[in-house]
Amino acid sequence: MRPSNHCISAHNSRLGSLSNLLFFVLLFLSACRYEPNEPRILFKENRAVSVLIPEKIYAGIDADSLNTLVKIRLAKIENATSILGEYRSDHGLIFTPLIPFTQGTDYEILVKGLTAAHFSIPLANSTDAPNLTTCYPQQDSLPENLLKIYLQFSHPMREGLSDKYIRIIKNGTDTLQDVFLNLQPELWNENRTVLTVWLDPGRIKRDLQPNLRLGNPLQANNTYQLQVSKQWKDINGRVLQKDYSKKFIVTQRDSICPNPEIWKMNLPKSGSPESLVISFGESLDHYLLMEAMQISTTEGVSIKGTFEWDSFDRSCRFTPAAVWMAGNYVLTIASRLEDLAGNNLNRPFDRDMTKTKKPSTQELYKKYFRIEK
Amino acid sequence: MKKNHFYFVTLLAGIALLSATKPFIRAPYGLIKGTPEIKSVSALTFGKDGILFIGDSKSATVFAVDTKDAKKNETAAAVSVSNIDQQIATALGTQKENITITDLAVNPVSKELYVAVQYSDGTPVILKVGNDKIEPLSLKDVNYSSIALNDVYAEDAKDARGRPMRVSTISDIGFDNGKVLVSGLSNKEFSSTFRSIPFPFTDKQDQASLEMYHASHGRYETTSPIRTFTTGKINGKDYLIASYTCTPLVLYPLDELKSGLHVKGRTVAEMGAGNTPIDMTTITKNGETFLVMANTARAVAEVSYKTIAAFEGTLTEPVKGTAGTAFVQVPSLTKVLQMDKLDKNHVVIIQKKENGSMDLLTTTNEAL
């Protein structure tokens, strides 16, 4: 039986090799099916960055004249000007426009002023449509003087459109007007996946003219709905998978600064890899939290580890990379850490500078703790 | 003889070495040749000799690029381009809804117009625009330098993985007396930054904290972000002239804007709430100097420097409506999106017309 098995195994192996060979031959043939009479679009990161124009399309034109005699322009537009970009020869003529070609758009190639070929850029694959993954703060109970909202998307989004697609509805009926601070350019992170939206600070600060004229954007004891339209497109032109809606109730104004002195710490024992848990007693700003804290020994040696925050940003958990050693430690907090109303460790967001004392200017706050044996 | 032969060979070798070494010619202003990695163009301004400063919010960097566009031209031709957004979109091979014009700057030497455009996927482009002309400014193999905008929080501003989380968006950029001036705001805190960066770039940049009394708001505010600014001489002293949302006009002495200093501005005009200033420039007409300012919610406003100079106090009491230095509005110039001085007698603007078209047009100083 064994030799036979071996034989079958060898046979299978040969079959495997043959099938592999067949696969590559078919792949090669399919690659060869590209008929070099047609322009071919070259993609990079899902963007149509160039077009390869085969030689047959511009046959007979001197290499030095290609830049002047071959042009690309929008199709179906009367007297459209040539598209700005660069030409280079590489197994044909490659044209790279200044910006990528636009999806769902038709283009034509002119040779000596006459239409020689057309090409179209397909629409983006909608199966990989973007999504609004999270809106911070995540809780459904927010202070009247909520200062900002972060919208986190799954894909890089188009900029400059937030006022068109974001709205807040009060008690299910009234669409609020002029609640957001109109900022151009908008505040996107570098890869355009997180947008910071400010509720108008002029309306939040009491007794300011916008506040007196229009009132606070949100009022306590009312129900609101933040809505984001699915018509918002990502950078590849795909709309969101669905409309986003977040319902929340507004509570009283928060005018008190976060105070690390009253934060509670759940301390692990020495020799333990367990997490240190810090409870803030209120929700803090999601993104500022991610950069505001550091743990070190009182001698200044930084403790490596990871911070994690609960979904409402009311507490954080620091898990050390190594087990805790007995000794004295310090949690250092940047003073610019804010709560949901923009109150930071040094000053409340809304204060009359002519009446209140000068706020602290310290950049860091320290909270000491000890890990016991 | 042997010794002489040695010297001769050494001399020849030295000459050969010198001739083989490419002479190192340093470009002016410490620029080096290369291709700057510009991720966005939020604001443009020109320095001397065709040096274009590009404010890149996405990489929190200011680039200085030698445009080689330094041929002196005293008087510019009037520029008029209807449907400028459509024309630019067509030249880029797309539709106008896919582009945003982010800034306009005139090269004061050549009087050429430079327009910053952003495609919907974020790709930035700078174009030279004129009557019947839309050309790209090539940023390939140019002489350039750059400076990253300092983050005052340095190490402690980084997240657990050591990555900086902050984004400083550049709201406006200017050049005055050898310094690049940059106003910005943060995506995390409601805060204003103003930097003064000597050019040629070194590792030095001053960041002062500014305080102004916002009469429309009725209180001092240090945190409001400057939306647009210019510089000008008032009573013989150089000032930063800044404006904020709800339109206070505030003067800061330029020589006081130094790192670590807290500078109190003098609010000389309150030009009304419910508005955001877009652009500012200084013009001269009939021998008198004026500050002109484009706005989101109202027509272009004009203030005489003489009246600013005459207003010696500061607005410190809450006002309703407008107060302080008098200003006039130019009723025909509403919905002005971009504005810059074209030459000593003209201003170039991009305006959204009532019929929906976006036009680039030139106006004389007298018409303002």
Side-chain angles (χ1 to χ4, degrees):
Chain A
M1 288 299 286
R2 270 178 192 276
S4 170
N5 268 348
H6 178 74
C7 187
I8 289 167
S9 171
H11 181 69
N12 281 345
S13 170
R14 273 197 298 276
L15 271 180
S17 301
L18 274 173
S19 65
N20 279 343
L21 182 65
L22 190 63
F23 171 78
F24 283 112
V25 167
L26 286 173
L27 189 71
F28 176 74
L29 287 174
S30 71
C32 291
R33 277 179 59 201
Y34 164 62
E35 180 54 58
N37 291 328
E38 302 283 324
R40 190 169 62 163
I41 304 153
L42 307 175
F43 288 88
K44 188 178 176 186
E45 294 169 355
N46 293 325
R47 290 187 281 184
V49 293
S50 304
V51 61
L52 171 63
I53 306 164
E55 278 187 51
K56 276 194 176 177
I57 290 179
Y58 58 89
I61 294 182
D62 183 55
D64 295 336
S65 307
L66 284 173
N67 285 0
T68 50
L69 296 180
V70 179
K71 298 287 177 196
I72 294 176
R73 67 180 188 184
L74 286 168
K76 303 170 192 166
I77 307 259
E78 203 176 335
N79 299 323
T81 50
S82 304
I83 297 170
L84 301 171
E86 284 185 352
Y87 292 87
R88 69 185 165 89
S89 294
D90 185 2
H91 299 94
L93 186 64
I94 293 178
F95 174 71
T96 304
L98 279 186
I99 61 168
F101 292 114
T102 301
Q103 289 165 359
T105 302
D106 300 327
Y107 297 88
E108 63 180 336
I109 299 168
L110 303 179
V111 177
K112 293 183 182 173
L114 299 172
T115 303
H118 282 91
F119 64 95
S120 300
I121 309 301
L123 288 167
N125 184 357
S126 59
T127 55
D128 189 27
N131 209 3
L132 198 167
T133 54
T134 317
C135 169
Y136 298 102
Q138 293 200 76
Q139 54 267 54
D140 54 13
S141 174
L142 298 170
E144 186 178 63
N145 52 344
L146 173 73
L147 182 61
K148 58 185 175 287
I149 294 167
Y150 298 108
L151 301 178
Q152 186 169 312
F153 296 88
S154 59
H155 293 65
M157 300 297 291
R158 289 192 179 194
E159 296 185 36
L161 299 167
S162 61
D163 61 337
K164 197 173 170 186
Y165 296 127
I166 307 174
R167 61 179 184 165
I168 294 180
I169 314 271
K170 183 181 178 183
N171 296 329
T173 51
D174 302 332
T175 301
L176 302 185
Q177 302 295 326
D178 301 322
V179 284
F180 299 115
L181 184 65
N182 175 22
L183 284 179
Q184 292 297 342
E186 293 169 336
L187 289 163
W188 287 90
N189 65 342
E190 190 178 331
N191 61 9
R192 297 178 172 88
T193 53
V194 179
L195 173 67
T196 307
V197 183
W198 301 88
L199 282 91
D200 186 352
R203 289 183 60 179
I204 292 173
K205 289 189 174 183
R206 289 165 298 182
D207 298 334
L208 308 192
Q209 289 303 322
N211 174 267
L212 293 174
R213 202 174 69 249
L214 301 167
N216 204 74
L218 307 174
Q219 273 113 32
N221 306 318
N222 285 285
T223 305
Y224 294 86
Q225 226 174 0
L226 172 75
Q227 295 184 345
V228 178
S229 168
K230 70 175 181 184
Q231 295 307 317
W232 203 335
K233 291 177 179 172
D234 71 1
I235 61 169
N236 290 317
R238 294 169 298 203
V239 296
L240 292 175
Q241 285 177 26
K242 56 184 178 187
D243 290 325
Y244 175 87
S245 177
K246 173 195 171 70
K247 202 170 179 180
F248 60 94
I249 295 166
V250 169
T251 59
Q252 295 304 310
R253 175 174 281 265
D254 175 5
S255 301
I256 300 168
C257 293
N259 181 3
E261 281 185 25
I262 60 169
W263 291 359
K264 289 185 178 145
M265 298 179 104
N266 194 354
L267 302 174
K269 289 272 189 300
S270 71
S272 153
E274 285 177 11
S275 305
L276 163 71
V277 179
I278 307 155
S279 302
F280 314 127
E282 64 175 327
S283 291
L284 299 179
D285 183 284
H286 179 75
Y287 280 97
L288 282 170
L289 264 178
M290 294 173 78
E291 59 182 33
M293 295 196 285
Q294 194 174 52
I295 288 174
S296 58
T297 66
T298 47
E299 287 80 34
V301 179
S302 180
I303 305 297
K304 288 183 179 167
T306 51
F307 280 100
E308 292 171 281
W309 299 270
D310 71 48
S311 54
F312 291 168
D313 298 309
R314 293 175 65 86
S315 67
C316 78
R317 175 182 290 273
F318 177 78
T319 308
V323 296
W324 290 101
M325 305 289 282
N328 295 316
Y329 293 84
V330 59
L331 167 68
T332 305
I333 311 129
S335 61
R336 64 203 157 74
L337 177 61
E338 293 176 357
D339 60 22
L340 302 184
N343 307 309
N344 71 22
L345 271 53
N346 281 340
R347 51 106 192 106
F349 180 68
D350 179 15
R351 70 195 174 92
D352 187 336
M353 294 175 71
T354 59
K355 290 176 185 162
T356 53
K357 63 174 187 175
K358 204 175 175 187
S360 166
T361 54
Q362 71 186 84
E363 286 190 10
L364 301 170
Y365 282 69
K366 293 183 185 295
K367 188 173 176 69
Y368 293 90
F369 61 97
R370 181 170 174 77
I371 300 292
E372 302 289 352
K373 282 187 180 173
Chain B
M1 203 47 203
K2 247 185 183 177
K3 202 173 181 182
N4 283 346
H5 182 71
F6 172 77
Y7 284 137
F8 181 68
V9 169
T10 308
L11 184 66
L12 273 182
I15 291 167
L17 189 68
L18 277 174
S19 62
T21 310
K22 210 174 175 180
F24 181 73
I25 302 167
R26 198 176 180 83
Y29 302 114
L31 307 183
I32 52 159
K33 196 171 186 180
T35 303
E37 277 191 44
I38 297 171
K39 294 178 179 169
S40 64
V41 181
S42 308
L44 298 175
T45 196
F46 272 92
K48 291 179 177 173
D49 306 325
I51 301 292
L52 176 64
F53 295 102
I54 300 167
D56 178 356
S57 292
K58 285 286 179 286
S59 60
T61 300
V62 175
F63 292 88
V65 173
D66 185 357
T67 60
K68 305 273 187 197
D69 177 18
K71 194 176 170 189
K72 199 157 185 173
N73 183 13
E74 287 296 342
T75 313
V79 184
S80 175
V81 183
S82 297
N83 297 306
I84 181 72
D85 53 343
Q86 178 67 62
Q87 305 250 17
I88 288 174
T90 304
L92 293 174
T94 190
Q95 297 78 30
K96 65 179 180 183
E97 57 269 25
N98 293 325
I99 61 158
T100 308
I101 295 174
T102 55
D103 205 2
L104 159 76
V106 176
N107 181 345
V109 180
S110 68
K111 315 296 187 228
E112 285 271 4
L113 266 67
Y114 288 70
V115 175
V117 177
Q118 182 170 294
Y119 181 48
S120 56
D121 74 346
T123 306
V125 176
I126 299 173
L127 302 168
K128 292 164 78 172
V129 174
N131 295 320
D132 305 318
K133 180 180 90 169
I134 298 175
E135 289 173 1
L137 171 70
S138 174
L139 294 169
K140 207 172 178 180
D141 294 330
V142 291
N143 288 331
Y144 80 101
S145 65
S146 65
I147 186 163
L149 300 179
N150 276 347
D151 195 323
V152 290
Y153 298 109
E155 287 303 307
D156 294 310
K158 291 176 179 175
D159 71 5
R161 289 169 294 278
R163 297 176 308 189
M165 300 294 293
R166 189 167 312 277
V167 175
S168 287
T169 291
I170 294 166
S171 60
D172 205 357
I173 188 168
F175 183 79
D176 182 83
N177 197 23
K179 287 180 176 168
V180 184
L181 309 172
V182 185
S183 65
L185 59 156
S186 160
N187 65 331
K188 298 294 172 1
E189 308 110 61
F190 188 66
S191 65
S192 177
T193 59
F194 191 84
R195 293 176 175 86
S196 170
I197 307 167
F199 182 75
F201 295 141
T202 59
D203 55 359
K204 185 180 185 306
Q205 52 182 293
D206 282 329
Q207 181 171 318
S209 64
L210 308 182
E211 178 179 316
M212 60 98 180
Y213 189 81
H214 198 320
S216 168
H217 285 184
R219 60 187 59 195
Y220 281 99
E221 293 208 305
T222 53
T223 53
S224 292
I226 290 174
R227 304 304 294 265
T228 185
F229 67 86
T230 187
T231 54
K233 208 175 266 298
I234 296 162
N235 290 331
K237 195 171 168 69
D238 290 321
Y239 283 91
L240 167 72
I241 306 168
S243 192
Y244 300 72
T245 296
C246 291
T247 348
L249 192 65
V250 186
L251 305 184
Y252 297 94
L254 270 175
D255 59 359
E256 291 181 21
L257 300 181
K258 290 178 180 159
S259 274
L261 289 187
H262 183 71
V263 186
K264 278 193 179 183
R266 194 157 64 84
T267 306
V268 294
E270 180 53 60
M271 300 167 84
N275 177 56
T276 299
I278 295 175
D279 251 336
M280 243 189 230
T281 192
T282 300
I283 62 160
T284 304
K285 61 177 174 180
N286 305 322
E288 200 177 332
T289 314
F290 293 86
L291 178 78
V292 285
M293 185 162 75
N295 299 290
T296 55
R298 56 183 66 107
V300 165
E302 186 180 86
V303 192
S304 153
Y305 269 72
K306 202 193 284 179
T307 58
I308 294 175
F311 189 88
E312 290 181 344
T314 180
L315 294 174
T316 53
E317 294 301 319
V319 297
K320 287 183 179 174
T322 61
T325 306
F327 63 93
V328 294
Q329 291 186 31
V330 186
S332 61
L333 292 182
T334 54
K335 295 186 179 174
V336 170
L337 309 174
Q338 304 289 344
M339 180 175 69
D340 202 3
K341 189 157 77 174
L342 183 59
D343 61 18
K344 63 182 179 183
N345 296 318
H346 298 89
V347 170
V348 64
I349 62 175
I350 295 179
Q351 184 182 25
K352 189 99 176 170
K353 295 284 193 181
E354 288 304 320
N355 63 7
S357 74
M358 191 187 289
D359 296 347
L360 173 69
L361 50 100
T362 305
T363 179
T364 60
N365 293 356
E366 279 68 28
L368 286 170

